[in-house]
Amino acid sequence: MKLHFRKERRGCRRVVTARVMGRALATAVTAPLVLAATAVVPGAGPAVAGTSADTLYIAEEGNGRVVSVPAAGGTPTTMASGLNDHRPYGVALSGTTVYIAEAGSGVILSAPTSGGTATPLNIPGLVDAVGIAVSGTTLYIIESAGTVLSVPTSGGIPTTLASGLPNPQGIAVSGTTLYITGNAGGGSVTSLPTSGGIPTTLATGLPNPAGIAVSETTVYVTGRIDNVTGSTGTVVSLPTIGGPPITLATVNVPVGIAVSGTTLYITESSGNVVSLPTMGGAPTTIATGLSGPAGIAV
């Protein structure tokens, strides 16, 4: 989504980021940050599912902040702010730290889950970072130009794991494998070893895929659908080894996605956060009134 969802990608992204969680939603949203959507382990940025979540962390691109929301539903609380000029898009969660990818600046920041000042990490050379995931002491970052990078959570010189991916939007990590959405051409999901290598295509022909999350042997992906009456979107699942996607629900221009236990959490470009059973079903609104929500972590 540039927005990567950016404004132009907002067409894509609208956004985002990874990306947590999915940027390409930019067009549909007035947001990039998909980052992730964006992803985490566990987390959203997309993340590996574990026990049920208590708190969600969401990149709110329109207001330049990251907010927390009770997973059971409630009022968003500002966790980190002052990011207005740089479009926070992707978020990832590890322990008591949230990592934030600013699509506008190419900066990665960290902030305590209890709230406070977001601190930039020293990671030279980043450009338009749209999605982020975390596993252990390693961050995995996607740039809109198609590069996948790894770097220590403390910062440092990034290592290139792959390049030339088609407009990546969201990234998730599970074990020794990364899962990435691409919003160019046919709309794809690929996998990549965390040590780097040749990407493997898991699915193509997806409608503007953005956010991505993984739980055990299943990958979950959000996508935007444009038509003459406006835009909508879907949430689909597919096996981690690849295969035909299965539609779980139709939602309002989804951007980021995260998974915890048997529940999916999804940001909508309209400003809502909804939950959905991993097996599919009717979405439940758990927060409203956000401005350009993008990546989500749990």
Side-chain angles (χ1 to χ4, degrees), residues 221-232:
V221 179
T222 63
R224 190 192 73 254
I225 299 174
D226 299 321
N227 53 54
V228 293
T229 59
S231 295
T232 182

Side-chain angles (χ1 to χ4, degrees), residues 206-249:
L206 299 176
N208 300 301
I212 186 168
V214 59
S215 176
E216 297 182 352
T217 61
T218 304
V219 176
Y220 302 95
V221 179
T222 63
R224 190 192 73 254
I225 299 174
D226 299 321
N227 53 54
V228 293
T229 59
S231 295
T232 182
T234 60
V235 178
V236 303
S237 66
L238 63 141
T240 53
I241 60 173
I246 297 172
T247 300
L248 302 179

Side-chain angles (χ1 to χ4, degrees), residues 36-56:
T38 140
V40 201
V41 171
V48 175
T51 57
S52 296
D54 294 321
T55 305
L56 310 175

